């Protein structure tokens, strides 16, 4: 107890003296960043776990891209399970007639009685009206529309909406649909109707993209037993989902967003670790004398170590508590941006994120402060008489081992946040490579600045100050490199999320021609093709119609394929779904043959195919391979004679696989087209859908706008987390300057004793700070440009112009920011009387 009391008194004294402010700031920022992300992700996790079955609407979900056999529902009933069927697909709906006709793409969901089996539908008598639990499903002849659809169409309860060839009455406004999950995955608004009305709409046609689901619920043992049976008969395009693997698109998207936020917080932790190491070293230097005195008064090495460990433990708990409190309030900002993407409300977070943040903060504190503490423990009593900075009895190898342990703790933390070994390895290697490159560039730049200092010809006092400042960078090269590396990492992250991201978005927008198609029309039936083409011709709209045949890739070179045949997740998804195949003889615009050849006259009656280059890479296909597709239950074999590179930015209709007409023309097909619709011709869509109710018109501009809105919200949240990164970078700068304060104080005092004036020394400090910030901004901007170019070419597949002003802006901005932040740490050195500094021995 006496040790704890003594440590508490020392902690209070050091806090009052400002000795531990940097450590507190670094820890608070790190813990706040981690817990802000942790609290929000914990709320997501609780929502998914507590409402897992509600997110499915059942205990077990069978999903297929073709109708389920009738005996599947019969077998489920034999196991005592309740069964509900749903069918979901996109289609156009309309309200009104003539000049008042309004159309909108909607996601149609037909449900049978008993839906949902878990959770509850909620409906309201109008938009922005109080809702209540629904009693059953829409009655035949009526529909429920969600608030988005009601708003877009200006529809009210009682209005008649045209769904295909049927006119159905709006019975209620749908406010909550338990198995809908995230509303940004349903780009189109939702319409719920009774399964009995579906066939009467005439929307179930060949080529219709319908998702068939069987919802099952019952006793746990019965559900498990039926699942074991169903797994034996699951075929291609079918899958089983439960509370653990259900709604994979939700979990995948949330996992990615959480990983992005987590990695953003992790960068803050990396910078905080650097700040802790620098602040601990400064603390050690300032306490060597007091430890030597205590050793002379009888304190043992063990007692000193226990006192400092106890003091830092108290400091860690205090800082962690403050960081958790800040993180708790900060996570509401993330919630305000990201929770709007969720339909289901989020419960309040638990205490686990606070516990995790506190543990991580304490681990960081002891991982990077232990080596300096061991130096304090081993200080020699002779230091009272001889004031050299003795490292004590700790060998240098052990000192390096202590820091290596701290870096191991940091690496383990990076693996923990990343969530998997492979990603963690990439992250650790990426950070290590970035730090090495930044350190090398910073060291070279400092050396060049030192060599050029003699050429400064500003003249007078300012020139002397600048030359001294540049020389000081070289003398304190290690500290300067640490400052530049830490700041460059923070600046690069911010530039990637601001300037470079905007460059990529602008390049993406510019890559799409002004007259690029902005509407797609799908589900055109063969008997409608001539009339639809005349409708486009009457409006003088340029368009090209393509046949679309749906088929599943079953074999390559006689080898049967399955999702398990591939490790790549995209390849698994492609194999598990049907492809949209098409046929033609001429090479489509925007397509370039990259391998093999295009169809020739002699290929008209042959079973050959041209495959998109990206698909071939993903699935490991090459020219000469024989592909077997299953179309309508019949096998169709084609040989790959060429690969094509597509211009996806053209927004034209593109296909992964093309064949000559003879290969596919005999199979059921629907037709698809894309076209540019000027704002002045917007009424054409209404008239087209009124004449052909089964057509689905997709407004690509609206879809992209909604997806961009979602991306904007996520990036805003990430940028908010990077505010902690910026604060950590400032703490690093302050810590780096303060750790060398004693040496700077002696040097400045000596210069003043030799006749240097304040204005000259102030110029030296400002020059040093400006060069550090400018170099950090320059290195960060060049790295951000390089990463942006890599993303543009490797990920987005388009050209992006180099942002030439960015290095200049980042250099000037970094210089101003670092000078302003560092001046508070270094300006007080000029106020120390020279005699005091010289008497203290530096």
């Amino acid at each position: 107890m006496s040790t704890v009391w003594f440590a508490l008194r020392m902690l209070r004294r050091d806090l009052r003296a400002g000795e531990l402010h940097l450590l507190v700031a670094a820890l608070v920022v790190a813990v706040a960043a981690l817990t802000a992300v942790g609290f929000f992700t914990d709320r997501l996790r609780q929502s998914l776990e507590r409402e897992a079955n509600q997110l499915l609407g059942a205990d077990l979900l069978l999903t297929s891209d073709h109708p389920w056999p009738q005996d599947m529902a019969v077998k489920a009933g034999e196991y005592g399970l309740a069964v509900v069927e749903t069918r979901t697909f996109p289609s156009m709906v309309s309200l009104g007639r003539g000049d008042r006709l309004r159309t909108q793409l909607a996601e149609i969901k037909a449900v049978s009685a008993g839906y949902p089996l878990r959770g509850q539908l909620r409906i309201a008598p109008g938009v922005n009206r109080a809702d209540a639990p629904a009693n059953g499903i829409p009655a035949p002849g009526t529909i429920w529309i969600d608030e988005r659809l009601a708003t877009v169409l200006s529809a009210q309860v009682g209005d008649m909406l045209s769904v295909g060839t049927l006119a159905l009455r709006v019975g209620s406004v749908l406010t909550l649909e338990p198995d809908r999950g995230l509303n940004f995955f349903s780009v189109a608004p939702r319409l719920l109707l009774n399964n009995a009305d579906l066939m009467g709409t005439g929307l179930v046609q060949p080529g219709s993209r319908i998702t068939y689901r069987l919802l099952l619920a019952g006793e746990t043992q019965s559900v498990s037993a039926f699942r074991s049976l169903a797994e034996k008969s699951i075929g291609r395009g079918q899958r089983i989902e439960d509370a653990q693997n259900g709604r994979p698109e939700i979990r995948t998207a949330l996992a990615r967003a959480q990983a992005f936020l987590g990695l953003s917080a992790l960068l803050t932790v990396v910078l905080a670790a650097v700040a802790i190491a620098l602040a601990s070293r400064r603390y050690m230097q300032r306490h060597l004398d007091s430890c030597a005195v205590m050793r002379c008064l009888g304190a043992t090495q063990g007692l000193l170590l226990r006192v400092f460990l106890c003091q830092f433990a108290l400091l860690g708990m205090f800082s962690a508590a403050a960081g958790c409190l800040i993180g708790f309030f900060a996570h509401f900002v993330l919630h305000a941006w990201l929770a709007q993407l969720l339909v289901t409300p989020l419960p309040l977070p638990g205490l686990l994120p606070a516990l995790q943040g506190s543990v991580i903060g304490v681990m960081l504190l002891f991982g990077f402060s232990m080596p300096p503490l061991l130096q304090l423990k081993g200080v020699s009593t002779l230091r009272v008489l001889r004031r050299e900075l003795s490292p004590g009895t700790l060998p240098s190898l052990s000192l390096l081992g202590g820091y290596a342990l701290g870096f191991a703790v940091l690496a383990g933390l990076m693996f923990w946040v990343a969530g998997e070994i492979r990603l963690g390895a990439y992250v650790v290697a990426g950070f290590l490579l970035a730090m090495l490159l930044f350190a090398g560039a910073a060291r070279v730049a400092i050396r060049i600045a030192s060599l050029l200092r003699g050429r400064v010809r500003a003249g007078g006092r300012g020139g002397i100050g600048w030359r001294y400042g540049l020389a000081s960078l070289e003398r304190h090269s290690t500290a300067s490199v640490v400052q530049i590396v830490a700041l460059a990492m923070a600046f690069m992250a911010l530039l990637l999320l601001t300037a470079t991201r905007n460059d990529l978005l602008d390049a993406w927008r510019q890559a799409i021609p002004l007259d690029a198609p902005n509407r797609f029309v799908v589900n055109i039936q063969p008997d409608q093709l001539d009339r639809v083409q005349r409708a486009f011709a009457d409006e003088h709209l340029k368009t090209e119609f393509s046949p679309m045949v749906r088929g599943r890739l079953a074999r390559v070179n006689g080898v049967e394929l399955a999702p398990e045949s591939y490790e790549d997740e995209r390849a698994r998804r492609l194999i598990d779904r049907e492809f949209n195949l098409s046929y033609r003889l001429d090479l489509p615009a925007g397509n370039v043959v990259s391998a093999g050849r295009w169809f020739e006259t002699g290929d008209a009656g042959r079973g050959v195919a041209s495959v998109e280059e990206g698909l071939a890479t993903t699935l490991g296909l090459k020219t000469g391979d024989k592909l077997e597709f299953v179309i309508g239950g019949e096998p169709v074999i084609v040989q790959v004679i060429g690969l094509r590179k597509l211009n996806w930015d053209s927004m034209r209709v593109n296909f992964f696989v093309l064949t000559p007409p003879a290969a596919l023309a005999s199979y059921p097909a629907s037709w698809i087209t894309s076209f540019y619709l000027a704002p002045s011709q917007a009424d054409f869509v209404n008239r087209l859908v009124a004449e052909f109710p089964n057509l689905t018109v997709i407004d690509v501009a609206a879809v992209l706008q909604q997806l961009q809105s979602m991306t904007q919200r996520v990036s805003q949240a990430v940028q908010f987390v990077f505010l902690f990164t910026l604060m950590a970078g400032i703490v690093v700068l302050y810590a780096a300057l303060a750790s060398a304060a004693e040496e700077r104080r002696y040097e400045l005092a000596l210069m003043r004793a030799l006749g240097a004036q304040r204005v000259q020394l102030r110029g030296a400090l400002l020059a040093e700070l400006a060069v550090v910030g400018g170099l950090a901004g320059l290195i960060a901007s060049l790295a951000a440009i390089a990463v942006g170019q890599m993303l543009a070419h490797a990920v987005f597949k388009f050209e992006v112009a180099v942002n030439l002003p960015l290095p200049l802006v980042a250099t000037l901005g970094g210089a101003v920011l670092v000078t302003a932040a560092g001046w508070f740490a270094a300006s007080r050195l000029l106020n120390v009387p020279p005699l005091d500094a010289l008497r203290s021995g530096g």
Side-chain angles (χ1 to χ4, degrees), residues 549-583:
V549 179
R550 302 192 68 184
R552 187 180 305 281
L553 181 60
R555 291 179 175 84
V556 175
N557 296 325
V559 179
E560 187 171 355
L561 299 181
E564 295 76 19
S565 306
Y566 297 88
E567 293 184 1
D568 183 71
E569 183 64 28
R570 179 171 181 265
R572 292 185 176 187
R573 292 198 303 268
L574 289 170
I575 293 299
D576 196 41
R577 70 172 179 84
E578 291 184 326
F579 284 83
N580 290 323
L581 314 175
S582 188
Y583 51 86

Side-chain angles (χ1 to χ4, degrees), residues 10-30:
M10 286 186 60
L11 177 62
R12 185 175 58 182
R13 184 197 64 185
D14 288 341
L15 286 174
R16 279 200 307 239
E19 300 287 347
L20 297 172
H21 288 175
L22 288 174
L23 278 173
V24 171
L27 277 177
V28 168
V29 169

Side-chain angles (χ1 to χ4, degrees), residues 2 71 76-77 181 248 280 284 321 345 367 449 513 555-556 668 686 723 759 790 818 834:
S2 59
D71 63 345
S280 299
M284 178 269 295
R555 291 179 175 84
V556 175
N686 296 332
L723 291 178
V759 65
M790 181 191 68
V818 171

Side-chain angles (χ1 to χ4, degrees), residues 75-89:
K75 291 179 181 178
E78 294 174 353
Y79 278 80
L81 302 179
V83 182
V84 167
E85 180 184 7
T86 70
R87 283 179 275 186
T88 307
F89 57 94

Side-chain angles (χ1 to χ4, degrees), residues 219-468:
E219 297 294 332
T220 304
Q221 293 181 347
S222 300
V223 171
S224 178
F226 177 77
R227 175 176 183 145
S228 300
L229 175 67
E231 287 176 342
K232 299 177 182 178
S233 58
I234 286 295
R236 296 288 296 276
Q238 300 174 337
R239 65 179 183 271
I240 300 177
E241 301 174 8
D242 58 15
Q244 298 301 318
N245 64 3
R247 303 309 300 269
E249 77 283 6
I250 297 177
R251 296 179 182 273
T252 299
L254 291 180
R256 288 175 180 173
Q258 293 171 20
F260 202 0
L261 293 172
L263 292 177
S264 306
L266 184 57
L267 182 55
T268 305
V269 175
V270 172
L271 296 176
V274 176
I276 290 171
L278 293 174
S280 299
R281 182 175 179 272
R282 175 175 178 265
Y283 182 84
M284 178 269 295
Q285 290 175 338
R286 295 174 66 89
H287 283 73
L288 285 171
D289 290 341
S290 59
C291 287
V293 172
M294 285 189 286
R295 289 291 309 280
C296 290
L297 296 178
T300 63
Q301 291 185 350
L303 176 62
L304 288 179
L305 183 60
R306 289 194 301 272
V307 169
F308 283 114
L309 287 178
C310 185
Q311 181 181 359
F312 272 55
L314 294 171
L315 177 71
M317 289 188 291
F318 168 78
S319 302
C324 290
L325 188 62
I326 295 174
F328 178 76
F329 288 105
H331 100 276
F332 285 106
V333 179
L334 297 178
H335 180 271
W337 274 318
L338 299 181
Q340 296 181 28
L341 303 177
L342 291 163
V343 174
T344 56
L346 298 180
L348 288 176
L351 296 178
L352 183 60
L355 177 61
Q356 291 175 334
S358 301
V359 170
I360 291 172
V362 173
M363 289 174 62
L364 280 177
L365 177 61
F366 283 100
F368 288 92
S369 63
M370 186 58 69
L373 291 183
L374 293 177
Q375 286 184 292
L376 285 179
K377 181 203 73 168
V379 67
S380 173
T381 55
L382 293 178
R383 182 174 172 83
V384 174
L385 301 176
R386 300 174 59 188
R387 301 182 57 83
E388 74 274 7
L389 292 178
S390 171
T393 59
L394 185 68
S396 58
L397 185 61
S398 299
L399 182 62
L400 293 176
Y403 281 114
L405 178 62
F407 283 115
V409 170
L410 183 61
L413 176 61
M414 296 168 79
F415 277 101
W416 177 75
V417 174
E420 57 176 291
I421 295 179
R422 183 177 181 181
L423 179 59
Y426 281 133
V427 172
V428 172
F431 276 124
L432 182 60
L433 180 62
M435 291 180 67
L436 291 176
L437 291 177
F438 287 178
R443 186 66 188 90
V444 171
I446 289 173
R447 182 58 182 165
I448 293 175
S450 176
L451 294 176
L452 294 177
R453 70 180 185 273
R455 298 188 179 185
V456 176
R457 292 292 183 263
R461 299 172 180 175
I464 295 175
W466 270 97
R467 289 196 294 273
Y468 180 77

Side-chain angles (χ1 to χ4, degrees), residues 665-744:
S666 60
Y667 294 94
S670 62
W671 291 72
I672 182 174
T673 188
S674 65
F675 63 100
Y676 173 75
L677 187 68
S680 59
Q681 298 174 291
D683 186 58
F684 170 70
V685 172
N686 296 332
R687 290 184 278 110
L688 183 68
V689 174
E691 185 177 356
F692 306 99
N694 64 292
L695 300 188
T696 298
V697 181
I698 302 174
D699 186 346
V700 182
V703 172
L704 292 179
Q705 183 178 4
Q706 186 165 2
L707 294 179
Q708 287 176 355
S709 176
M710 177 197 71
T711 305
Q712 181 70 18
R713 290 185 179 276
V714 174
S715 59
Q716 285 176 343
V718 174
Q719 285 178 308
F720 173 73
V721 176
F722 267 99
L723 291 178
F724 292 103
T725 307
L726 179 60
M727 288 187 287
I730 294 175
V731 173
V732 169
L733 171 66
Y734 195 97
L737 292 175
S739 64
E742 297 301 319
E743 186 175 355
R744 304 285 178 89

Side-chain angles (χ1 to χ4, degrees), residues 193-206:
L193 58 79
N194 195 297
N195 219 5
D197 291 326
L198 180 58
M199 298 308 296
T201 63
L203 297 176
V204 181
Q205 301 280 351

